[in-house]
Amino acid sequence: GLRAAACTPADFGSRTGAELVAFVRAASTDCVNSLFSVGATDARAVFREAQMVTVADAFTRVARTYGGDNASRISQLVLFLRAGYYVQYNHPDATGPYGPSLSAATTRGMDAFFARPRSRDVTATNGDVLREVVVLTDSAGRQARYLDVYQRILDDYDRSYDSLPSMLAAVNAVHTPLWRGNWNPAYVRGVIADRSVVRTLHTFALAHLDLLGTDRGYLTSNAGMNLARHVEHPELRTTVRPRVRHLLDTARITGRTAA
């Protein structure tokens, strides 16, 4: 049979520029996924800032014509960036610092992606890509910038998603930045300035109580949990507490609504 393409950290670390981009795009998603486990030895070669900027610029170019699927191998570019942020977080001395040029480059790509009409397709193929980009907003620490996007994704959910596991995963993925954003001062300032996020979580949980007790109940319980999470910020308490109380009053602590 066909020999699997090479996939070692050195295969990525030994390439730069257009050659690196071509290699990332040609790799399987399983191959790019393996880069999350890159250790300190290979971290600088694979994920130093210049390599990340190269891939972020390619992500931006591809995102500008995003067609609703992975024909352009956009998922591989996004996964590479996610893996880099993960490795840099765990081995910052090895990779070296990530600065404003990478943040700007990654943000341009995410902006371009979310502006594309096809990023709102309710399809199995878009769900896979959308989920990766939503998680990248968190990896890149840009949760404050995409508050409107997270709300749009929650608001757009309806029962037509229920036969599409990747779309359900994309909707649920907004809970990653909406949870982890609470450690990011820019996010905290953002949700204090724009409380519609808190209201959207409350509305979503309330509108989808019928999912509790089904295999999609996590969408509702995660919305409720994330709503309550925001009570830690004193400035938000007058907004959060009555809504948490309302959810608790609307559900029972045992049985179908326990979650």
Side-chain angles (χ1 to χ4, degrees):
L2 290 171
R3 196 167 56 84
C7 181
T8 67
D11 289 314
F12 293 88
S14 62
R15 292 171 163 86
T16 59
E19 194 189 355
L20 172 65
V21 170
F23 190 81
V24 172
R25 290 176 76 182
S28 68
T29 49
D30 284 348
C31 169
V32 183
N33 247 319
S34 72
L35 297 177
F36 280 88
S37 57
V38 161
T41 315
D42 297 299
R44 183 172 296 269
V46 181
F47 288 128
R48 65 187 181 276
E49 186 176 37
Q51 297 288 78
M52 289 285 283
V53 170
T54 294
V55 173
D57 287 342
F59 165 49
T60 303
R61 287 194 299 275
V62 170
R64 284 179 180 143
T65 57
Y66 177 65
D69 59 34
N70 198 36
S72 61
R73 316 290 281 190
I74 192 171
S75 286
Q76 281 87 330
L77 298 169
V78 174
L79 262 178
F80 182 93
L81 294 171
R82 279 189 51 210
Y85 280 111
Y86 180 83
V87 170
Q88 199 268 345
Y89 181 82
N90 288 295
H91 305 288
D93 296 338
T95 58
Y98 283 0
S101 60
L102 175 58
S103 183
T106 304
T107 301
R108 277 193 297 273
M110 296 186 296
D111 284 357
F113 177 83
F114 291 125
R116 289 291 293 171
R118 301 301 298 273
S119 72
R120 302 183 77 161
D121 285 4
V122 181
T123 61
T125 54
N126 179 56
D128 283 331
V129 182
L130 177 61
R131 179 186 161 275
E132 294 294 347
V133 184
V134 168
V135 176
L136 180 62
T137 67
D138 182 72
S139 311
R142 299 314 307 270
Q143 303 96 332
R145 187 178 185 87
Y146 298 106
L147 295 176
D148 289 349
V149 170
Y150 307 147
Q151 291 181 82
R152 178 179 96 194
I153 292 169
L154 290 171
D155 288 340
D156 284 352
Y157 165 76
D158 64 34
R159 302 311 288 271
S160 72
Y161 289 44
D162 290 356
S163 60
L164 298 166
S166 73
M167 285 302 302
L168 295 173
V171 174
N172 198 50
V174 304
H175 293 300
T176 300
L178 290 176
W179 184 266
R180 292 189 65 250
N182 287 281
W183 284 279
N184 181 340
Y187 172 86
V188 176
R189 288 192 299 272
V191 290
I192 290 167
D194 178 5
R195 300 176 181 218
S196 63
V197 182
V198 169
R199 292 192 289 270
T200 294
L201 287 166
H202 175 237
T203 302
F204 184 96
L206 208 58
H208 301 298
L209 291 171
D210 59 314
L211 295 179
L212 293 171
T214 76
D215 60 355
R216 297 172 306 287
Y218 61 88
L219 291 173
T220 305
S221 58
N222 284 345
M225 188 163 60
N226 242 329
L227 166 67
R229 168 64 194 274
H230 289 76
V231 83
E232 75 179 69
H233 310 299
E235 303 89 338
L236 286 178
R237 284 177 191 156
T238 54
T239 308
V240 175
R241 279 181 166 158
R243 287 173 170 81
V244 173
R245 166 69 66 188
H246 183 227
L247 278 187
L248 293 172
D249 287 344
T250 309
R252 300 176 80 98
I253 205 163
T254 56
R256 191 179 61 83
T257 59

